DNA sequence: CTGGATCCCTTAAGATACTG
DNA sequence: CAGTATCTTAAGGGATCCAG
């Protein structure tokens, strides 16, 4: 049971780790569909390389759909798959606990300590 | 809102990343309280260094309590704090989605591809 | 027994330049 | 426009030895 339980938790974590995945998902969720360049504008600090690799991983996991328009100049749109929409409860769960925890950390260590962690 | 939402998701991820945290938490949850050496036995592949550092992070986040017995030889027990017990719903959420996702991956790529991922 | 300190290696991530 | 390819840097993690 140890294995099963942790395997699955780690599977879930897998699609969320990678420094940029949460924020990428957030934007795609919010806009329904986004082009590569639009994502770049929304997350300016990310490099093309990272953006590409993170999107590819999300695509592999069937969370994100990649639609390529065969045209010049190229156009590629990313969207959340039907299956991918199923992660919402998990994200909500992480989000709400995260908020609680930020408050808790502030209580424990003060405003400053939390900011520059 | 982008910032708030992702900040909190990443805060939540923070306490779970680190290759060993989920499995460590799992064991402590299961046993209520565990000594350092017991954890080592339960997770044989982990080094002392990693076990120590992961436990310290969990302690910092007030998820795990560290109780030191002032005696020779030393004895230290780790347990989940009251506050720490509040992560259960989040872990459940990750766990159940993780299980779903493992099944989904098997559907997409077959048994083998999933095993040695 | 429960760690700390050190060294080393591997992997994740950033910078930059180039291409169909 | 949407990427690849290559190189460099930073961080995570492992091995080993030492200590109260």
């Amino acid at each position: 049971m140890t294995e099963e339980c942790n395997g699955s938790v780690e599977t879930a974590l897998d699609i969320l780790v990678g420094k940029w995945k949460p924020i990428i998902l957030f934007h795609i969720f919010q806009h329904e569909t986004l082009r590569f360049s639009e994502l770049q504008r929304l997350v300016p600090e990310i490099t093309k390389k990272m953006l590409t690799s993170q999107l590819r991983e999300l695509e592999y996991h069937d969370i994100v759909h990649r639609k390529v328009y065969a045209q010049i100049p190229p156009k590629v749109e990313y969207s959340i798959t039907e299956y991918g929409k199923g992660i919402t409860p998990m994200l909500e769960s992480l989000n709400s606990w995260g908020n609680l925890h930020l408050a808790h950390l502030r209580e424990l260590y003060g405003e400053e300590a939390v900011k520059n962690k």
Side-chain angles (χ1 to χ4, degrees), chain A:
Chain A
M1 176 198 178
T2 297
E3 310 309 323
E4 293 74 43
C5 181
N6 272 277
S8 52
V9 168
E10 281 160 17
T11 301
L13 289 176
D14 244 41
I15 73 132
L16 292 175
V17 298
K19 201 172 167 188
W20 303 100
K21 291 212 193 87
I23 196 168
I24 289 173
L25 283 175
F26 174 80
H27 286 299
I28 305 184
F29 262 105
Q30 202 170 46
H31 292 78
E32 294 290 318
T33 165
L34 279 174
R35 300 183 57 171
F36 189 85
S37 53
E38 293 175 315
L39 272 166
Q40 269 196 102
R41 278 192 306 97
L42 290 167
V43 193
E45 325 84 56
I46 196 174
T47 63
K48 295 176 179 194
K49 175 191 168 183
M50 287 313 295
L51 183 52
T52 302
S53 73
Q54 307 278 286
L55 285 168
R56 289 293 143 82
E57 287 178 39
L58 290 169
E59 188 190 359
Y60 170 85
H61 284 282
D62 194 26
I63 306 297
V64 157
H65 175 66
R66 180 166 177 266
K67 179 168 184 183
V68 182
Y69 293 83
Q71 64 179 51
I72 306 285
K75 173 177 171 183
V76 180
E77 281 181 350
Y78 294 91
S79 54
I80 306 292
T81 63
E82 272 314 305
Y83 171 76
K85 292 176 184 166
I87 61 170
T88 309
M90 184 173 71
L91 287 178
E92 296 277 329
S93 174
L94 286 167
N95 183 31
S96 65
W97 187 84
N99 276 321
L100 274 175
H101 192 53
L102 280 171
H104 191 65
L105 286 177
R106 275 191 279 266
E107 237 177 75
L108 291 174
Y109 303 111
E111 194 72 33
E112 288 316 304
V114 176
K115 290 220 167 182
N116 54 351
K117 90 78 239 190

